[in-house]
Amino acid sequence: LLARSLFFANGAQWRHHRTGLSPAFTGSKIRSMFGLLSKSAGDAMNRLVVFSRGKPFTMELRDLYSKLGNDAMTSISFGVEVDSLTDPENEFFLKGKRLAKVDGLPGLKLLMTTILPGLYKFLRLGVLYKDVNEFYLEAVSTNIRYREKNSIKRPDFIHLLLQARKNKLNTEQMEDDEFQSAGFSTAETHTVESQRDATNETLQWQDIDITAAAASFFFGGIETTTTLLCFASYELAVNPTIQARLRTEIDNARAELVDGKTPTYEILQKMKYLDMVVSETLRRWTPFGLTNRRCT
């Protein structure tokens, strides 16, 4: 799957995926998915309250963030809601851990795709385990058929990819102008153009391409987010002054919320100190230290 994703594709296929996916990361599209992220975080906090049974408890932070991150990314990437905190044996969590595994043999294969792409392609190696490939392809294909049959529209990554398939993934320039000063990374592409392969045939988004894009979105988000949250928690713990200032900003932001606890995309934009904390954590503790992107 990952071989067909934006991370590892090249030539016409890379341009096809890049052009098709760019509008998915504009401000308006990110805002539409923010509700899913907010809901996932809120549900997770409620489950933690139930899990604690009103008493203090100890939990490994990386394990906690891995489960919460998996639930959020599974909801956004694959359109499926799971509860890995109370059901750590659910299939999406188990397969998600194997998909995001970057040590051992999978890590070596991933490294080879970056430093020796020609040899990797010649040996016809695969980054993912076969059963993981098959699981996600079946899950996404079934999800797509169900949505098309029942005319379901859910503001997640699968929906955006289905729009890309129909060449309808675009956005209003006016909407995205509102987010230019937000301080967060968003794309500036607003149109989708058809790309052609070496045989001059128009490239289309097949189910396997949609699955690959969703899997790469999950792959790129789960491990990096888990690592970021772990190091951010560490830095805040050893820097109480920064923690206090960030807490003050959070408390002030909560005062502007309707229910006092559910954040909105607009409120998050105003939290400049939070953005600074995240950016500095990423600078000090980079989750992923290499890339296979080339200047074209």
Side-chain angles (χ1 to χ4, degrees):
L1 286 178
L2 292 184
R4 300 179 67 96
S5 70
L6 185 64
F7 289 150
F8 302 106
N10 52 50
Q13 188 179 44
W14 179 87
R15 289 191 295 274
H16 167 65
H17 285 189
R18 177 68 174 82
T19 303
L21 290 176
S22 288
F25 296 95
T26 53
S28 58
K29 296 299 188 292
I30 294 295
R31 180 175 60 175
S32 70
M33 290 190 288
F34 182 78
L36 296 176
L37 178 61
S38 180
K39 180 181 182 302
S40 180
D43 291 345
M45 294 304 101
N46 292 333
R47 289 195 292 270
L48 280 176
V49 172
V50 175
F51 184 81
S52 68
R53 298 178 181 177
K55 300 179 181 179
F57 68 97
T58 302
M59 178 176 286
E60 173 62 40
L61 271 185
R62 183 168 184 81
D63 181 58
L64 172 63
Y65 289 147
S66 176
K67 291 176 179 176
L68 301 186
N70 177 84
D71 292 356
M73 291 303 298
T74 298
S75 175
I76 295 173
S77 302
F78 302 111
V80 178
E81 295 189 6
V82 294
D83 179 6
S84 301
L85 186 63
T86 56
D87 180 21
E89 298 301 315
N90 74 78
E91 198 74 5
F92 275 92
F93 179 61
L94 297 179
K95 289 296 191 294
K97 287 200 301 183
R98 299 182 70 193
L99 172 63
K101 186 177 177 63
V102 292
D103 57 358
L105 183 58
L108 179 60
K109 290 181 178 180
L110 184 61
L111 182 62
M112 285 183 62
T113 64
T114 303
I115 62 177
L116 297 171
L119 177 61
Y120 188 85
K121 185 176 182 180
F122 176 76
L123 296 176
R124 302 176 65 87
L125 298 175
V127 177
L128 301 182
Y129 295 104
K130 183 179 179 180
D131 63 311
V132 175
N133 272 318
E134 294 175 348
F135 171 78
Y136 282 112
L137 182 57
E138 175 62 25
V140 172
S141 297
T142 301
N143 195 316
I144 291 174
R145 290 194 296 270
Y146 182 78
R147 292 185 187 210
E148 292 178 339
K149 180 180 179 180
N150 297 279
S151 301
I152 294 176
K153 293 183 179 180
R154 187 176 187 270
D156 53 25
F157 202 57
I158 294 292
H159 175 65
L160 296 180
L161 293 171
L162 289 176
Q163 285 186 307
R165 169 187 278 181
K166 300 174 183 177
N167 205 30
K168 294 182 179 179
L169 182 56
N170 50 40
T171 187
E172 296 295 333
Q173 178 72 44
M174 185 178 299
E175 289 183 352
D176 289 325
D177 286 343
E178 301 175 10
F179 306 107
Q180 284 185 353
S181 61
F184 303 104
S185 297
T186 54
E188 297 181 355
T189 303
H190 301 276
T191 59
V192 179
E193 299 177 356
S194 298
Q195 297 292 331
R196 296 180 181 274
D197 61 12
T199 62
N200 202 37
E201 294 183 358
T202 301
L203 295 172
Q204 301 294 333
W205 284 91
Q206 306 297 330
D207 282 3
I208 190 172
D209 296 311
I210 292 178
T211 305
S216 63
F217 187 64
F218 179 93
F219 175 81
I222 182 64
E223 187 64 25
T224 52
T225 301
T226 299
T227 302
L228 167 64
L229 291 175
C230 286
F231 280 116
S233 297
Y234 166 76
E235 290 289 356
L236 290 173
V238 298
N239 293 280
T241 302
I242 295 176
Q243 180 184 154
R245 183 176 173 182
L246 178 60
R247 182 183 291 273
T248 298
E249 183 181 62
I250 293 174
D251 290 339
N252 292 336
R254 289 181 60 188
E256 299 183 39
L257 301 176
V258 176
D259 60 359
K261 61 179 181 179
T262 306
T264 64
Y265 190 75
E266 290 73 18
I267 290 295
L268 189 64
Q269 288 183 72
K270 300 177 182 179
M271 301 179 69
K272 299 299 182 181
Y273 196 68
L274 173 62
D275 186 41
M276 293 166 63
V277 169
V278 171
S279 297
E280 180 63 8
T281 303
L282 289 171
R283 185 191 70 82
R284 288 177 57 86
W285 308 99
T286 305
F288 207 68
L290 52 84
T291 178
N292 62 347
R293 293 177 180 175
R294 293 178 296 176
C295 181
T296 58

PDB file of all heavy atoms in Angstrom, residues 233-262:
ATOM      1  N   SER A 233       4.912  16.485  26.899  1.00  0.00           N
ATOM      2  CA  SER A 233       4.581  16.239  28.305  1.00  0.00           C
ATOM      3  C   SER A 233       5.839  16.306  29.168  1.00  0.00           C
ATOM      4  O   SER A 233       5.825  16.869  30.273  1.00  0.00           O
ATOM      5  CB  SER A 233       3.914  14.870  28.459  1.00  0.00           C
ATOM      6  OG  SER A 233       2.694  14.816  27.752  1.00  0.00           O
ATOM      7  N   TYR A 234       6.922  15.740  28.652  1.00  0.00           N
ATOM      8  CA  TYR A 234       8.191  15.772  29.390  1.00  0.00           C
ATOM      9  C   TYR A 234       8.689  17.206  29.559  1.00  0.00           C
ATOM     10  O   TYR A 234       9.059  17.623  30.670  1.00  0.00           O
ATOM     11  CB  TYR A 234       9.236  14.941  28.645  1.00  0.00           C
ATOM     12  CG  TYR A 234      10.652  15.175  29.131  1.00  0.00           C
ATOM     13  CD1 TYR A 234      11.098  14.634  30.332  1.00  0.00           C
ATOM     14  CD2 TYR A 234      11.527  15.964  28.389  1.00  0.00           C
ATOM     15  CE1 TYR A 234      12.388  14.868  30.786  1.00  0.00           C
ATOM     16  CE2 TYR A 234      12.818  16.201  28.830  1.00  0.00           C
ATOM     17  CZ  TYR A 234      13.244  15.655  30.031  1.00  0.00           C
ATOM     18  OH  TYR A 234      14.521  15.898  30.477  1.00  0.00           O
ATOM     19  N   GLU A 235       8.682  17.969  28.466  1.00  0.00           N
ATOM     20  CA  GLU A 235       9.176  19.341  28.522  1.00  0.00           C
ATOM     21  C   GLU A 235       8.329  20.202  29.466  1.00  0.00           C
ATOM     22  O   GLU A 235       8.858  21.035  30.207  1.00  0.00           O
ATOM     23  CB  GLU A 235       9.180  19.955  27.118  1.00  0.00           C
ATOM     24  CG  GLU A 235      10.231  19.379  26.180  1.00  0.00           C
ATOM     25  CD  GLU A 235      11.650  19.796  26.570  1.00  0.00           C
ATOM     26  OE1 GLU A 235      11.811  20.592  27.515  1.00  0.00           O
ATOM     27  OE2 GLU A 235      12.600  19.313  25.929  1.00  0.00           O
ATOM     28  N   LEU A 236       7.027  20.003  29.448  1.00  0.00           N
ATOM     29  CA  LEU A 236       6.158  20.771  30.341  1.00  0.00           C
ATOM     30  C   LEU A 236       6.381  20.376  31.796  1.00  0.00           C
ATOM     31  O   LEU A 236       6.275  21.213  32.703  1.00  0.00           O
ATOM     32  CB  LEU A 236       4.692  20.555  29.954  1.00  0.00           C
ATOM     33  CG  LEU A 236       4.255  21.176  28.625  1.00  0.00           C
ATOM     34  CD1 LEU A 236       2.834  20.750  28.277  1.00  0.00           C
ATOM     35  CD2 LEU A 236       4.349  22.696  28.675  1.00  0.00           C
ATOM     36  N   ALA A 237       6.707  19.103  32.020  1.00  0.00           N
ATOM     37  CA  ALA A 237       6.948  18.636  33.388  1.00  0.00           C
ATOM     38  C   ALA A 237       8.225  19.230  33.974  1.00  0.00           C
ATOM     39  O   ALA A 237       8.279  19.551  35.168  1.00  0.00           O
ATOM     40  CB  ALA A 237       7.021  17.112  33.415  1.00  0.00           C
ATOM     41  N   VAL A 238       9.249  19.391  33.141  1.00  0.00           N
ATOM     42  CA  VAL A 238      10.533  19.905  33.640  1.00  0.00           C
ATOM     43  C   VAL A 238      10.640  21.420  33.498  1.00  0.00           C
ATOM     44  O   VAL A 238      11.642  22.010  33.918  1.00  0.00           O
ATOM     45  CB  VAL A 238      11.720  19.226  32.907  1.00  0.00           C
ATOM     46  CG1 VAL A 238      11.711  17.730  33.159  1.00  0.00           C
ATOM     47  CG2 VAL A 238      11.688  19.522  31.410  1.00  0.00           C
ATOM     48  N   ASN A 239       9.620  22.039  32.907  1.00  0.00           N
ATOM     49  CA  ASN A 239       9.595  23.498  32.773  1.00  0.00           C
ATOM     50  C   ASN A 239       8.268  24.024  33.323  1.00  0.00           C
ATOM     51  O   ASN A 239       7.360  24.390  32.560  1.00  0.00           O
ATOM     52  CB  ASN A 239       9.761  23.913  31.305  1.00  0.00           C
ATOM     53  CG  ASN A 239      11.132  23.580  30.751  1.00  0.00           C
ATOM     54  OD1 ASN A 239      12.103  24.298  30.991  1.00  0.00           O
ATOM     55  ND2 ASN A 239      11.215  22.487  30.010  1.00  0.00           N
ATOM     56  N   PRO A 240       8.133  24.063  34.644  1.00  0.00           N
ATOM     57  CA  PRO A 240       6.856  24.458  35.263  1.00  0.00           C
ATOM     58  C   PRO A 240       6.397  25.867  34.902  1.00  0.00           C
ATOM     59  O   PRO A 240       5.189  26.128  34.856  1.00  0.00           O
ATOM     60  CB  PRO A 240       7.141  24.329  36.766  1.00  0.00           C
ATOM     61  CG  PRO A 240       8.631  24.386  36.882  1.00  0.00           C
ATOM     62  CD  PRO A 240       9.156  23.736  35.646  1.00  0.00           C
ATOM     63  N   THR A 241       7.333  26.766  34.635  1.00  0.00           N
ATOM     64  CA  THR A 241       6.943  28.132  34.265  1.00  0.00           C
ATOM     65  C   THR A 241       6.206  28.136  32.928  1.00  0.00           C
ATOM     66  O   THR A 241       5.173  28.800  32.763  1.00  0.00           O
ATOM     67  CB  THR A 241       8.180  29.045  34.173  1.00  0.00           C
ATOM     68  OG1 THR A 241       8.873  29.038  35.426  1.00  0.00           O
ATOM     69  CG2 THR A 241       7.764  30.469  33.827  1.00  0.00           C
ATOM     70  N   ILE A 242       6.744  27.384  31.973  1.00  0.00           N
ATOM     71  CA  ILE A 242       6.100  27.272  30.662  1.00  0.00           C
ATOM     72  C   ILE A 242       4.758  26.558  30.801  1.00  0.00           C
ATOM     73  O   ILE A 242       3.764  26.941  30.176  1.00  0.00           O
ATOM     74  CB  ILE A 242       7.016  26.511  29.684  1.00  0.00           C
ATOM     75  CG1 ILE A 242       8.292  27.321  29.432  1.00  0.00           C
ATOM     76  CG2 ILE A 242       6.293  26.214  28.374  1.00  0.00           C
ATOM     77  CD1 ILE A 242       9.301  26.616  28.547  1.00  0.00           C
ATOM     78  N   GLN A 243       4.731  25.533  31.644  1.00  0.00           N
ATOM     79  CA  GLN A 243       3.482  24.803  31.871  1.00  0.00           C
ATOM     80  C   GLN A 243       2.410  25.726  32.437  1.00  0.00           C
ATOM     81  O   GLN A 243       1.250  25.683  32.005  1.00  0.00           O
ATOM     82  CB  GLN A 243       3.721  23.639  32.833  1.00  0.00           C
ATOM     83  CG  GLN A 243       2.472  22.832  33.124  1.00  0.00           C
ATOM     84  CD  GLN A 243       2.702  21.740  34.156  1.00  0.00           C
ATOM     85  OE1 GLN A 243       1.773  21.321  34.845  1.00  0.00           O
ATOM     86  NE2 GLN A 243       3.945  21.262  34.280  1.00  0.00           N
ATOM     87  N   ALA A 244       2.797  26.572  33.379  1.00  0.00           N
ATOM     88  CA  ALA A 244       1.833  27.487  33.998  1.00  0.00           C
ATOM     89  C   ALA A 244       1.308  28.498  32.977  1.00  0.00           C
ATOM     90  O   ALA A 244       0.108  28.813  32.954  1.00  0.00           O
ATOM     91  CB  ALA A 244       2.489  28.208  35.172  1.00  0.00           C
ATOM     92  N   ARG A 245       2.204  28.995  32.124  1.00  0.00           N
ATOM     93  CA  ARG A 245       1.779  29.968  31.114  1.00  0.00           C
ATOM     94  C   ARG A 245       0.840  29.319  30.103  1.00  0.00           C
ATOM     95  O   ARG A 245      -0.155  29.927  29.692  1.00  0.00           O
ATOM     96  CB  ARG A 245       3.003  30.541  30.404  1.00  0.00           C
ATOM     97  CG  ARG A 245       2.663  31.614  29.375  1.00  0.00           C
ATOM     98  CD  ARG A 245       3.917  32.218  28.778  1.00  0.00           C
ATOM     99  NE  ARG A 245       3.581  33.133  27.684  1.00  0.00           N
ATOM    100  CZ  ARG A 245       4.487  33.783  26.958  1.00  0.00           C
ATOM    101  NH1 ARG A 245       5.783  33.634  27.230  1.00  0.00           N
ATOM    102  NH2 ARG A 245       4.104  34.572  25.971  1.00  0.00           N
ATOM    103  N   LEU A 246       1.145  28.084  29.711  1.00  0.00           N
ATOM    104  CA  LEU A 246       0.279  27.375  28.771  1.00  0.00           C
ATOM    105  C   LEU A 246      -1.071  27.074  29.409  1.00  0.00           C
ATOM    106  O   LEU A 246      -2.119  27.201  28.764  1.00  0.00           O
ATOM    107  CB  LEU A 246       0.946  26.075  28.316  1.00  0.00           C
ATOM    108  CG  LEU A 246       0.134  25.200  27.348  1.00  0.00           C
ATOM    109  CD1 LEU A 246      -0.182  25.975  26.069  1.00  0.00           C
ATOM    110  CD2 LEU A 246       0.892  23.920  27.015  1.00  0.00           C
ATOM    111  N   ARG A 247      -1.059  26.697  30.674  1.00  0.00           N
ATOM    112  CA  ARG A 247      -2.314  26.422  31.377  1.00  0.00           C
ATOM    113  C   ARG A 247      -3.188  27.681  31.439  1.00  0.00           C
ATOM    114  O   ARG A 247      -4.407  27.610  31.279  1.00  0.00           O
ATOM    115  CB  ARG A 247      -2.027  25.913  32.790  1.00  0.00           C
ATOM    116  CG  ARG A 247      -3.289  25.551  33.574  1.00  0.00           C
ATOM    117  CD  ARG A 247      -2.925  25.136  34.987  1.00  0.00           C
ATOM    118  NE  ARG A 247      -2.214  23.872  34.985  1.00  0.00           N
ATOM    119  CZ  ARG A 247      -2.815  22.680  35.014  1.00  0.00           C
ATOM    120  NH1 ARG A 247      -4.138  22.609  35.033  1.00  0.00           N
ATOM    121  NH2 ARG A 247      -2.107  21.575  35.022  1.00  0.00           N
ATOM    122  N   THR A 248      -2.548  28.822  31.643  1.00  0.00           N
ATOM    123  CA  THR A 248      -3.297  30.081  31.673  1.00  0.00           C
ATOM    124  C   THR A 248      -3.962  30.349  30.330  1.00  0.00           C
ATOM    125  O   THR A 248      -5.128  30.762  30.270  1.00  0.00           O
ATOM    126  CB  THR A 248      -2.357  31.253  32.027  1.00  0.00           C
ATOM    127  OG1 THR A 248      -1.804  31.042  33.331  1.00  0.00           O
ATOM    128  CG2 THR A 248      -3.112  32.577  32.009  1.00  0.00           C
ATOM    129  N   GLU A 249      -3.219  30.101  29.241  1.00  0.00           N
ATOM    130  CA  GLU A 249      -3.799  30.305  27.909  1.00  0.00           C
ATOM    131  C   GLU A 249      -4.968  29.348  27.681  1.00  0.00           C
ATOM    132  O   GLU A 249      -5.999  29.733  27.110  1.00  0.00           O
ATOM    133  CB  GLU A 249      -2.741  30.100  26.824  1.00  0.00           C
ATOM    134  CG  GLU A 249      -3.286  30.366  25.420  1.00  0.00           C
ATOM    135  CD  GLU A 249      -2.254  30.138  24.328  1.00  0.00           C
ATOM    136  OE1 GLU A 249      -1.779  28.987  24.202  1.00  0.00           O
ATOM    137  OE2 GLU A 249      -1.931  31.093  23.597  1.00  0.00           O
ATOM    138  N   ILE A 250      -4.817  28.110  28.125  1.00  0.00           N
ATOM    139  CA  ILE A 250      -5.893  27.124  27.972  1.00  0.00           C
ATOM    140  C   ILE A 250      -7.124  27.540  28.778  1.00  0.00           C
ATOM    141  O   ILE A 250      -8.258  27.463  28.291  1.00  0.00           O
ATOM    142  CB  ILE A 250      -5.408  25.728  28.408  1.00  0.00           C
ATOM    143  CG1 ILE A 250      -4.330  25.221  27.443  1.00  0.00           C
ATOM    144  CG2 ILE A 250      -6.574  24.741  28.460  1.00  0.00           C
ATOM    145  CD1 ILE A 250      -3.681  23.920  27.868  1.00  0.00           C
ATOM    146  N   ASP A 251      -6.904  27.993  30.006  1.00  0.00           N
ATOM    147  CA  ASP A 251      -8.025  28.435  30.844  1.00  0.00           C
ATOM    148  C   ASP A 251      -8.742  29.624  30.215  1.00  0.00           C
ATOM    149  O   ASP A 251      -9.977  29.708  30.241  1.00  0.00           O
ATOM    150  CB  ASP A 251      -7.529  28.799  32.242  1.00  0.00           C
ATOM    151  CG  ASP A 251      -7.092  27.573  33.040  1.00  0.00           C
ATOM    152  OD1 ASP A 251      -7.534  26.458  32.690  1.00  0.00           O
ATOM    153  OD2 ASP A 251      -6.315  27.728  33.998  1.00  0.00           O
ATOM    154  N   ASN A 252      -7.970  30.545  29.653  1.00  0.00           N
ATOM    155  CA  ASN A 252      -8.576  31.706  28.993  1.00  0.00           C
ATOM    156  C   ASN A 252      -9.372  31.281  27.761  1.00  0.00           C
ATOM    157  O   ASN A 252     -10.441  31.838  27.477  1.00  0.00           O
ATOM    158  CB  ASN A 252      -7.493  32.711  28.595  1.00  0.00           C
ATOM    159  CG  ASN A 252      -6.834  33.364  29.794  1.00  0.00           C
ATOM    160  OD1 ASN A 252      -7.422  33.427  30.881  1.00  0.00           O
ATOM    161  ND2 ASN A 252      -5.617  33.849  29.612  1.00  0.00           N
ATOM    162  N   ALA A 253      -8.846  30.300  27.033  1.00  0.00           N
ATOM    163  CA  ALA A 253      -9.550  29.807  25.845  1.00  0.00           C
ATOM    164  C   ALA A 253     -10.841  29.096  26.244  1.00  0.00           C
ATOM    165  O   ALA A 253     -11.875  29.237  25.583  1.00  0.00           O
ATOM    166  CB  ALA A 253      -8.647  28.865  25.050  1.00  0.00           C
ATOM    167  N   ARG A 254     -10.791  28.343  27.329  1.00  0.00           N
ATOM    168  CA  ARG A 254     -11.988  27.629  27.799  1.00  0.00           C
ATOM    169  C   ARG A 254     -13.098  28.603  28.167  1.00  0.00           C
ATOM    170  O   ARG A 254     -14.286  28.297  28.001  1.00  0.00           O
ATOM    171  CB  ARG A 254     -11.649  26.763  29.007  1.00  0.00           C
ATOM    172  CG  ARG A 254     -10.809  25.538  28.694  1.00  0.00           C
ATOM    173  CD  ARG A 254     -10.553  24.727  29.944  1.00  0.00           C
ATOM    174  NE  ARG A 254     -11.799  24.274  30.539  1.00  0.00           N
ATOM    175  CZ  ARG A 254     -11.872  23.663  31.728  1.00  0.00           C
ATOM    176  NH1 ARG A 254     -10.765  23.454  32.428  1.00  0.00           N
ATOM    177  NH2 ARG A 254     -13.031  23.271  32.199  1.00  0.00           N
ATOM    178  N   ALA A 255     -12.724  29.761  28.651  1.00  0.00           N
ATOM    179  CA  ALA A 255     -13.725  30.754  29.048  1.00  0.00           C
ATOM    180  C   ALA A 255     -14.522  31.257  27.849  1.00  0.00           C
ATOM    181  O   ALA A 255     -15.640  31.764  28.008  1.00  0.00           O
ATOM    182  CB  ALA A 255     -13.041  31.925  29.750  1.00  0.00           C
ATOM    183  N   GLU A 256     -13.967  31.111  26.648  1.00  0.00           N
ATOM    184  CA  GLU A 256     -14.649  31.570  25.441  1.00  0.00           C
ATOM    185  C   GLU A 256     -15.517  30.482  24.814  1.00  0.00           C
ATOM    186  O   GLU A 256     -16.266  30.757  23.871  1.00  0.00           O
ATOM    187  CB  GLU A 256     -13.623  32.046  24.412  1.00  0.00           C
ATOM    188  CG  GLU A 256     -12.757  33.214  24.877  1.00  0.00           C
ATOM    189  CD  GLU A 256     -11.807  33.674  23.787  1.00  0.00           C
ATOM    190  OE1 GLU A 256     -12.226  33.691  22.613  1.00  0.00           O
ATOM    191  OE2 GLU A 256     -10.646  33.996  24.103  1.00  0.00           O
ATOM    192  N   LEU A 257     -15.410  29.256  25.317  1.00  0.00           N
ATOM    193  CA  LEU A 257     -16.165  28.150  24.737  1.00  0.00           C
ATOM    194  C   LEU A 257     -17.595  28.128  25.265  1.00  0.00           C
ATOM    195  O   LEU A 257     -17.850  28.509  26.411  1.00  0.00           O
ATOM    196  CB  LEU A 257     -15.475  26.822  25.061  1.00  0.00           C
ATOM    197  CG  LEU A 257     -14.035  26.671  24.556  1.00  0.00           C
ATOM    198  CD1 LEU A 257     -13.446  25.354  25.039  1.00  0.00           C
ATOM    199  CD2 LEU A 257     -13.990  26.748  23.032  1.00  0.00           C
ATOM    200  N   VAL A 258     -18.496  27.658  24.435  1.00  0.00           N
ATOM    201  CA  VAL A 258     -19.909  27.623  24.812  1.00  0.00           C
ATOM    202  C   VAL A 258     -20.139  26.729  26.020  1.00  0.00           C
ATOM    203  O   VAL A 258     -20.825  27.107  26.972  1.00  0.00           O
ATOM    204  CB  VAL A 258     -20.768  27.131  23.621  1.00  0.00           C
ATOM    205  CG1 VAL A 258     -22.231  26.997  24.043  1.00  0.00           C
ATOM    206  CG2 VAL A 258     -20.640  28.090  22.440  1.00  0.00           C
ATOM    207  N   ASP A 259     -19.551  25.513  25.979  1.00  0.00           N
ATOM    208  CA  ASP A 259     -19.739  24.578  27.088  1.00  0.00           C
ATOM    209  C   ASP A 259     -18.542  24.539  28.030  1.00  0.00           C
ATOM    210  O   ASP A 259     -18.514  23.766  28.984  1.00  0.00           O
ATOM    211  CB  ASP A 259     -20.033  23.173  26.565  1.00  0.00           C
ATOM    212  CG  ASP A 259     -18.895  22.623  25.707  1.00  0.00           C
ATOM    213  OD1 ASP A 259     -17.896  23.351  25.508  1.00  0.00           O
ATOM    214  OD2 ASP A 259     -19.004  21.478  25.234  1.00  0.00           O
ATOM    215  N   GLY A 260     -17.532  25.341  27.737  1.00  0.00           N
ATOM    216  CA  GLY A 260     -16.372  25.416  28.609  1.00  0.00           C
ATOM    217  C   GLY A 260     -15.378  24.287  28.469  1.00  0.00           C
ATOM    218  O   GLY A 260     -14.387  24.237  29.205  1.00  0.00           O
ATOM    219  N   LYS A 261     -15.605  23.371  27.507  1.00  0.00           N
ATOM    220  CA  LYS A 261     -14.674  22.248  27.393  1.00  0.00           C
ATOM    221  C   LYS A 261     -14.433  21.758  25.968  1.00  0.00           C
ATOM    222  O   LYS A 261     -13.404  21.147  25.699  1.00  0.00           O
ATOM    223  CB  LYS A 261     -15.159  21.075  28.237  1.00  0.00           C
ATOM    224  CG  LYS A 261     -16.510  20.513  27.833  1.00  0.00           C
ATOM    225  CD  LYS A 261     -16.900  19.330  28.718  1.00  0.00           C
ATOM    226  CE  LYS A 261     -18.248  18.740  28.292  1.00  0.00           C
ATOM    227  NZ  LYS A 261     -18.625  17.574  29.132  1.00  0.00           N
ATOM    228  N   THR A 262     -15.353  22.001  25.043  1.00  0.00           N
ATOM    229  CA  THR A 262     -15.185  21.500  23.677  1.00  0.00           C
ATOM    230  C   THR A 262     -14.539  22.565  22.802  1.00  0.00           C
ATOM    231  O   THR A 262     -15.172  23.568  22.469  1.00  0.00           O
ATOM    232  CB  THR A 262     -16.542  21.096  23.066  1.00  0.00           C
ATOM    233  OG1 THR A 262     -17.196  20.163  23.931  1.00  0.00           O
ATOM    234  CG2 THR A 262     -16.333  20.462  21.698  1.00  0.00           C
TER     235      THR A 262
END
